[in-house]
Amino acid sequence: MTALPGTGTPPPLAGGTGGADALRPLLDTVLDALTTGATARGGPLPAGGPDAVTARVRAALGDVLPAHGTGGHEALRTLVHTLAAGAADPADPLCAAHLHCPPLAVAAAADLAASALNPSLDSWDQAPAASAVEALLTRTLAAEFYDTPHADALVTTGGTEANQLAVLLARERHGPALTVLHGANAHHSVPRAAWLLGLPPATELPTPTGVLDPARLAEALATTPGPTLVTATAGTTDAGLIDPLHRIADLCDRYGADLHIDAAYGGLLALSPRHRDKLAGLGRAHSLTLDLHKLGWQPVAAGLLAVPDTTLLAPLAHQADYLNATDDTEAGLPDLLGRSLRTTRRPDALKIATTLRALGRDGLATLIDRTIDTAHHLARLLDAHPDFELHAPPTITTVLFRPTHADDDHLATLRRTLLHQGRAVLGRTHADGRLWLKATLLNPHTTAGDLDTLISLLEGRTHR
């Protein structure tokens, strides 16, 4: 019998009955390297700026494709340490710039299982249990937002893909003359989706108060010919503001427009008895964008597009004989191709389902409430401080502020200085014609002491 090419035993696999034994010692190496890397970093991000970080990575990696391999443990030790040492770590309380959450350990552990088993959700025979988990999860979460018999949701890579799908579905309902109306506060993926799909350029409405003004929207709807998709936002990226959803939905009903709501940031408030009223009107949308890698503490990616009835997803149906042959579907094998525009897909539903089971509704509500309370505490500290100006009390977990005596150039320089020194990661945005620092608080472990540290770090740097 002819031998297979190559010599020796191939490297071990992650799956199968021996996968766990192969993974266990490697995971010890990974966990040790995560610890040593974080210790070497010593803060929320590496010091020195882009050039210094790139130089350290280049020195650590050396030959990216060596002639002879170094072995699994050395490769993991080197690269994981280097990644951790050079990370902007959202688990550090002073890493608070973006909608970039620290993932829960239980979610990351579930993600490891997904990587080890590697189901691909493009056909049932590649993902038997994973496809069932996804179906149960998506229907359960969609039912949190829609009180309808057949609510459904698709798993996406995040808000951008979900928004693009929403615009695509609206185009398929109404044709290529569809006009997309959105506020200036909308996520950039909304007008980009109109461009990608060959629609007329999206119409942007001014939002001088930060939210979509129903009066301006009414004027636009009254003068826009043909079919229209209005996109509202529940949790803007700049300030975490929520559009007046009921009033917007009323206008859409009056003018016969479809409504999509981008609730990537704020949608999970629905799980909090204390805060769900902020989302009143959310369930009136034809489609909803949700992101659990924001206020859901999931590793990227964990997005959803929810709809009130699964029939609204019918335009995504697609047939490829090697994946969903008609006779297989008629025989009862689930057809997965209509669940995404992607073909190969990771089972991102697994980590979400694991988190929901581990924490339950009350556990997630506690995390949501805690982070919102932390944002309000920071806002009160800044409002009472003579060296800082608070823009407004937070709606969700985003706090905008600026040094009292700094102009915009100094503020931008201050932010970059903190980044280069590796001391803090704060965002920036424009509001009311001025530049503001932005703290987006998504870490449920952040303490009052951490906030005091942040303010102390900024004190003394606020004057020119």
Side-chain angles (χ1 to χ4, degrees):
M1 184 171 69
T2 303
L4 291 172
T7 59
T9 303
L13 301 176
T17 57
D21 289 337
L23 279 171
R24 192 167 285 110
L26 295 172
L27 291 180
D28 285 340
T29 299
V30 167
L31 297 175
D32 288 344
L34 285 172
T35 300
T36 60
T39 301
R41 185 181 67 241
L45 80 166
D51 291 343
V53 172
T54 299
R56 288 195 289 268
V57 170
R58 183 179 292 113
L61 268 60
D63 189 351
V64 176
L65 182 60
H68 303 287
T70 62
H73 287 282
E74 191 283 332
L76 285 168
R77 188 179 304 112
T78 298
L79 271 82
V80 174
H81 173 96
T82 301
L83 184 69
D89 187 356
D92 189 295
L94 299 187
C95 187
H98 303 289
L99 289 165
H100 178 200
C101 74
L104 295 170
V106 68
D111 221 19
L112 168 65
S115 293
L117 293 168
N118 209 28
S120 180
L121 282 130
D122 47 331
S123 65
W124 182 86
D125 57 358
Q126 298 176 80
S131 61
V133 169
E134 181 179 89
L136 291 167
L137 173 80
T138 50
R139 292 167 192 157
T140 297
L141 286 177
E144 290 293 319
F145 302 93
Y146 291 113
D147 186 17
T148 53
H150 304 292
D152 201 355
L154 302 177
V155 177
T156 71
T157 54
T160 293
E161 183 187 351
N163 286 339
Q164 289 172 352
L165 281 171
V167 177
L168 171 63
L169 292 172
R171 186 195 70 178
E172 294 305 291
R173 288 194 296 271
H174 299 291
L178 178 73
T179 297
V180 177
L181 292 178
H182 66 89
N185 63 345
H187 193 263
H188 62 84
S189 60
V190 172
R192 194 177 191 207
W195 168 70
L196 283 169
L197 294 167
L199 296 173
T203 299
E204 179 181 298
L205 303 179
T207 54
T209 64
V211 296
L212 192 55
D213 178 11
R216 289 180 184 268
L217 177 60
E219 292 173 3
L221 286 169
T223 57
T224 299
T228 305
L229 174 69
V230 173
T231 65
T233 307
T236 61
T237 54
D238 282 345
L241 303 179
I242 298 173
D243 288 338
L245 303 179
H246 263 315
R247 296 172 67 191
I248 291 170
D250 287 343
L251 287 170
C252 289
D253 288 346
R254 183 188 309 170
Y255 288 95
D258 283 4
L259 174 61
H260 170 67
I261 299 177
D262 179 357
Y265 181 8
L268 266 288
L269 297 181
L271 299 181
S272 166
R274 283 176 51 191
H275 296 288
R276 65 167 62 111
D277 287 349
K278 295 176 180 177
L279 299 177
L282 194 69
R284 299 177 64 184
H286 287 80
S287 54
L288 295 173
T289 288
L290 306 162
D291 256 3
L292 281 88
H293 55 241
K294 294 180 172 63
L295 273 180
W297 296 280
Q298 298 300 295
V300 173
L304 292 169
L305 177 74
V307 293
D309 194 285
T310 191
T311 58
L312 291 169
L313 303 175
L316 300 179
H318 185 67
Q319 206 273 326
D321 198 54
Y322 78 106
L323 294 172
N324 61 346
T326 302
D327 59 319
D328 277 349
T329 303
E330 291 173 349
L333 295 185
D335 177 0
L336 304 183
L337 279 188
R339 305 296 298 178
S340 177
L341 292 181
R342 293 171 285 148
T343 303
T344 302
R345 292 194 295 121
R346 296 186 78 251
D348 289 316
L350 176 65
K351 61 195 175 192
I352 302 172
T354 302
T355 301
L356 298 184
R357 183 178 179 88
L359 273 67
R361 185 185 300 274
D362 57 347
L364 281 166
T366 297
L367 293 183
I368 292 166
D369 294 348
R370 184 182 180 92
T371 50
I372 293 175
D373 288 346
T374 301
H376 280 275
H377 182 78
L378 176 60
R380 288 191 295 270
L381 291 176
L382 292 166
D383 197 34
H385 199 296
D387 286 338
F388 296 98
E389 178 184 353
L390 177 70
H391 181 262
T395 301
I396 308 179
T397 65
T398 300
V399 181
L400 303 186
F401 65 99
R402 56 180 289 133
T404 306
H405 303 292
D407 60 24
D408 285 0
D409 288 341
H410 177 68
L411 187 149
T413 300
L414 166 62
R415 174 181 174 272
R416 288 191 292 269
T417 298
L418 293 172
L419 290 176
H420 277 263
Q421 292 177 343
R423 304 292 297 278
V425 189
L426 293 171
R428 54 180 284 174
T429 190
H430 279 89
D432 302 332
R434 293 192 293 168
L435 187 64
W436 299 79
L437 292 173
K438 178 175 69 169
T440 308
L441 301 174
L442 294 177
N443 187 339
H445 288 270
T446 299
T447 66
D450 294 323
L451 301 180
D452 290 339
T453 298
L454 175 62
I455 290 177
S456 295
L457 182 63
L458 292 166
E459 283 175 334
R461 301 173 182 268
T462 60
H463 298 283
R464 298 182 66 181

